[in-house]
Amino acid sequence: MAVNVSVDCARNDLSQLEYTYDLISSLSDDELEAVQKIAIAFLNKNRELDINNNNQSLKPFMPQTEEQLLERIDRSLAQADAGMCIDADEVIDELLAECD
């Protein structure tokens, strides 16, 4: 892979975004897919981690609108009606049985 810009240091005449675009513009499709996965991982990390007093804690519940919440509830009810769920006590019993 030939890169037209130096990867050792950013160019002063370009913004960070422009410099990043300049770097990735010559990557292959496979390499771009890898970069995309890394970018998505960063975005997901920023949404899920709350850095507070140097402690990282997961935030499993993201803020939602009322409409989003009702859609999720409706989807869950439909899954339950279709028999796509298992009682929590049954799951716990199965997991404990596997540990014995």
Side-chain angles (χ1 to χ4, degrees), residues 52-71:
N52 187 10
N53 298 329
N54 295 327
N55 293 327
Q56 294 183 350
S57 61
L58 286 175
K59 293 185 347 186
F61 303 104
M62 301 303 293
Q64 300 178 41
T65 64
E66 182 178 358
E67 181 178 334
Q68 290 171 320
L69 178 61
L70 293 175
E71 285 176 9

Side-chain angles (χ1 to χ4, degrees), residues 86-100:
I86 301 173
D87 185 67
D89 290 330
E90 291 178 37
V91 173
I92 292 170
D93 291 341
E94 288 179 23
L95 290 173
L96 290 175
E98 289 180 19
C99 294
D100 291 336

Side-chain angles (χ1 to χ4, degrees), residues 35-49:
V35 171
Q36 290 169 355
K37 288 179 182 179
I38 292 169
I40 289 168
F42 278 123
L43 292 171
N44 288 337
K45 177 185 170 207
N46 289 338
R47 285 189 202 110
E48 295 173 359
L49 292 180

Side-chain angles (χ1 to χ4, degrees), residues 2-83:
V3 177
N4 296 332
V5 296
S6 171
V7 293
D8 293 332
C9 60
R11 292 176 38 189
N12 291 333
D13 61 328
L14 297 175
S15 70
Q16 287 295 320
L17 180 59
E18 292 169 324
Y19 176 64
T20 303
Y21 178 78
D22 200 27
L23 286 174
I24 64 172
S25 63
S26 61
L27 298 178
S28 70
D29 284 347
D30 289 339
E31 293 165 333
L32 286 172
E33 188 175 331
V35 171
Q36 290 169 355
K37 288 179 182 179
I38 292 169
I40 289 168
F42 278 123
L43 292 171
N44 288 337
K45 177 185 170 207
N46 289 338
R47 285 189 202 110
E48 295 173 359
L49 292 180
D50 178 22
I51 299 173
N52 187 10
N53 298 329
N54 295 327
N55 293 327
Q56 294 183 350
S57 61
L58 286 175
K59 293 185 347 186
F61 303 104
M62 301 303 293
Q64 300 178 41
T65 64
E66 182 178 358
E67 181 178 334
Q68 290 171 320
L69 178 61
L70 293 175
E71 285 176 9
R72 288 186 66 196
I73 291 170
D74 289 342
R75 187 170 50 249
S76 297
L77 291 173
Q79 289 172 334
D81 290 343

